Amino acid sequence: MLGLGLEREESETKKMDFFEERLGAFKQGERPNSTDEIAARRVWAMSNDGEFLSDREREFYEIVFAAREKKKDKEEKEIPLPVKDWSCNVNLDVAAEIIDEVFQGLPVWKPKKDHIRGREFELKDWHKMSETSKKEYGKRLAAIDKEIQEERYTDTDILCKLLATAHQKSRSSFYLERATIQRWAEANGRDELFKLVNSLPEYASIKKRFGERPIFTSKKTKERQRTEISPQIVAALMRELPPTKNQRFAPFILFVSGARLFELPSVKIFTNSDGSVALKIETAKLGCARKNAPKTRRVEFEAGSIEAKQLAAIAAKCGQKPFAAMNCATFRSNFRAAKKRLEKEYPKMKQLDIHSFRHAFATQQREKIANKYKEKYGAEWRSNEKLSNTARDELSKVLGHSDRKVTGRYGRPVKKNCNI
């Protein structure tokens, strides 16, 4: 207890020294910066709306926000009180340095893309997005608008929120949050905020400033991707799903074809005279359309195989297009409910996602292609760059990818001890 008291006393002394130093700098004509603003917000948030501020803290707070008021446009005379304390989510010293650079207009991030792994993170044209993406963005925009209005965030708060997201979460989460705020700024005529957000460093650079390694994929996403799906799991899900519009057959089709959920209504089963079966899948992905990639792909099954027999039975019972009338949103809801009911019997079912079927399919296909190349070219075939790229292209074709780099994230080895 004595040690804790000494630590608190030392912390209070450092804090008061900071205020004394900054107040002295203000008297000499120095203007408050973003670090001062964050410190003032933190002090206010921890003082019950100013009730327990010391004289020095109050003086510091008033000077900082009086200077901030002068920077505001004449139309925005009222200053929102600081209501968010980011100290528990992000290192405020590092955040303040980055925010200062952004406000000073330094060339923090000129190109609008993340150079890591060649992925681009540009803000797509709203009119070129699919209806599903627009709907999802609509939900996020409504949520962020409510948060900003209720909490009365300033530009500094929003930048700090984004830095906290980068500090705690994966790259995809950061860029999704960033794009949502940019779209909100665009829709509300906040051009200055749009430019500030666009000037933030790339994700890897932010993580480096915080002294951390970048997280390219979240832990939950990795678990979903690497979850091993057995025929027993597929059968259990098929028993739990309702028979309406042939939904119960969807897990099997997803498992053997690697189809995306929104592609299910387009799946067509062809039964050949020799007993072999082919699945034809159409895709409406805009990336394929822009890159002139094939809009359809086929998955072949040899005569006599278990998959061919089951697919032939489904076609005989439900027709060539068994999911033509299926609503994807309804299926997703039913899938979640079925998964929840099975969690007691299969504890690892929580990790399972609809997209996990696609990763499981990719793993199977990768193994088949690898075995084929091993038999033909020997065990060291991967050392040949040309053969390795050809194998990757072959897997890309089966998955319907227009970019070989995207395929690299699929078909990774599953965890050995991950039996659902």
Side-chain angles (χ1 to χ4, degrees):
M1 292 297 292
L2 180 62
L4 181 60
L6 289 173
E7 287 175 7
R8 287 178 178 172
E9 186 177 342
E10 185 180 352
S11 177
E12 286 295 320
T13 304
K14 285 183 179 179
K15 186 171 69 171
M16 297 314 297
D17 288 344
F18 169 78
F19 291 134
E20 289 288 348
E21 181 185 342
R22 295 307 297 157
L23 287 170
F26 297 156
K27 288 178 182 178
Q28 293 178 8
E30 187 175 327
R31 294 182 180 180
N33 55 32
S34 297
T35 308
D36 297 322
E37 186 173 338
I38 291 173
R41 287 177 178 280
R42 189 176 180 182
V43 163
W44 185 275
M46 298 174 69
S47 65
N48 195 15
D49 290 342
E51 185 178 349
F52 301 110
L53 285 179
S54 66
D55 292 339
R56 284 299 190 192
E57 288 173 333
R58 187 175 295 280
E59 184 182 359
F60 174 79
Y61 175 84
E62 288 174 353
I63 290 174
V64 170
F65 281 92
R68 184 181 179 283
E69 187 174 3
K70 292 178 182 178
K71 294 181 182 178
K72 281 286 186 180
D73 296 332
K74 293 180 181 179
E75 298 176 0
E76 299 179 356
K77 292 181 181 178
E78 184 180 351
I79 304 174
L81 292 174
V83 293
K84 191 70 176 179
D85 177 23
W86 299 103
S87 59
C88 58
N89 298 326
V90 67
N91 185 322
L92 291 178
D93 294 331
V94 177
E97 288 177 9
I98 297 173
I99 292 171
D100 268 337
E101 292 173 8
V102 170
F103 274 106
Q104 289 170 24
L106 298 176
V108 181
W109 187 29
K110 282 189 176 180
K112 295 183 180 180
K113 70 176 181 178
D114 190 323
H115 296 286
I116 299 176
R117 300 190 184 182
R119 289 198 64 187
E120 293 185 1
F121 289 91
E122 294 181 356
L123 199 63
K124 293 181 181 177
D125 187 346
W126 181 265
H127 302 290
K128 293 182 180 179
M129 295 174 67
S130 66
E131 292 302 318
T132 305
S133 297
K134 287 180 181 178
K135 189 176 179 180
E136 288 297 320
Y137 262 116
K139 291 178 183 177
R140 294 192 191 98
L141 286 170
I144 201 71
D145 181 69
K146 183 179 179 181
E147 184 180 356
I148 289 173
Q149 298 302 329
E150 287 182 355
E151 301 287 354
R152 295 183 291 175
Y153 285 166
T154 62
D155 290 355
T156 303
D157 283 323
I158 292 171
L159 292 175
C160 207
K161 174 181 171 65
L162 281 169
L163 292 174
T165 302
H167 181 57
Q168 293 181 307
K169 298 186 178 181
S170 65
R171 180 180 59 173
S172 57
S173 298
F174 168 68
Y175 281 113
L176 181 60
E177 184 85 357
R178 177 178 174 273
T180 303
I181 289 175
Q182 281 188 307
R183 290 195 185 282
W184 180 86
E186 198 174 47
N188 289 273
R190 299 280 295 274
D191 295 336
E192 187 61 30
L193 174 61
F194 186 95
K195 292 176 182 177
L196 290 172
V197 172
N198 203 42
S199 297
L200 282 171
E202 62 184 5
Y203 174 75
S205 177
I206 294 174
K207 295 292 280 187
K208 188 176 181 181
R209 295 280 286 270
F210 284 119
E212 298 174 347
R213 293 180 64 184
I215 305 170
F216 297 113
T217 309
S218 67
K219 187 176 179 181
K220 288 184 178 179
T221 302
K222 281 184 178 178
E223 286 178 349
R224 289 197 301 268
Q225 289 176 355
R226 297 180 178 183
T227 298
E228 186 178 0
I229 303 176
S230 65
Q232 289 77 19
I233 292 300
V234 176
L237 285 167
M238 289 172 69
R239 287 194 298 270
E240 286 293 327
L241 284 164
T244 315
K245 296 179 181 177
N246 305 319
Q247 291 182 67
R248 61 172 49 180
F249 297 117
F252 176 72
I253 299 293
L254 290 168
F255 183 60
V256 300
S257 69
R260 303 175 180 94
L261 175 59
F262 67 86
E263 294 173 339
L264 273 181
S266 73
V267 170
K268 198 171 183 179
I269 305 172
F270 292 93
T271 306
N272 302 319
S273 57
D274 61 352
S276 63
V277 175
L279 285 179
K280 182 182 177 183
I281 305 168
E282 295 179 6
T283 183
K285 279 187 73 70
L286 296 175
C288 294
R290 285 197 298 269
K291 297 176 183 178
N292 297 319
K295 295 182 180 179
T296 62
R297 64 184 186 278
R298 292 171 69 91
V299 184
E300 306 282 347
F301 302 92
E302 295 179 357
S305 64
I306 296 173
E307 294 86 353
K309 291 177 182 178
Q310 291 178 330
L311 287 170
I314 293 173
K317 183 176 181 179
C318 310
Q320 275 194 322
K321 295 187 74 175
F323 311 113
M326 191 184 79
N327 183 285
C328 293
T330 303
F331 173 74
R332 188 184 291 277
S333 177
N334 291 335
F335 179 86
R336 287 173 180 166
K339 191 177 75 164
K340 193 170 184 179
R341 290 193 294 271
L342 290 168
E343 283 177 4
K344 288 185 179 179
E345 187 178 355
Y346 305 99
K348 295 281 186 177
M349 183 69 79
K350 288 182 180 179
Q351 298 176 0
L352 192 65
D353 186 89
I354 292 177
H355 206 66
S356 300
F357 289 95
R358 185 165 167 81
H359 282 275
F361 171 78
T363 299
Q364 296 170 8
Q365 293 300 313
R366 183 183 283 272
E367 289 175 359
K368 287 181 181 178
I369 293 170
N371 290 333
K372 183 177 71 174
Y373 276 66
K374 184 178 178 180
E375 289 178 7
K376 192 173 181 179
Y377 302 105
E380 302 298 324
W381 67 270
R382 286 188 180 86
S383 59
N384 187 319
E385 187 178 352
K386 187 176 180 181
L387 288 177
S388 183
N389 288 336
T390 305
R392 180 73 63 83
D393 289 337
E394 195 171 329
L395 183 59
S396 297
K397 186 177 180 181
V398 177
L399 291 172
H401 287 153
S402 56
D403 188 350
R404 187 192 296 160
K405 292 175 183 176
V406 177
T407 307
R409 302 199 297 272
Y410 284 78
R412 294 174 181 175
V414 296
K415 294 178 181 178
K416 293 181 179 179
N417 299 320
C418 188
N419 297 318
I420 296 179

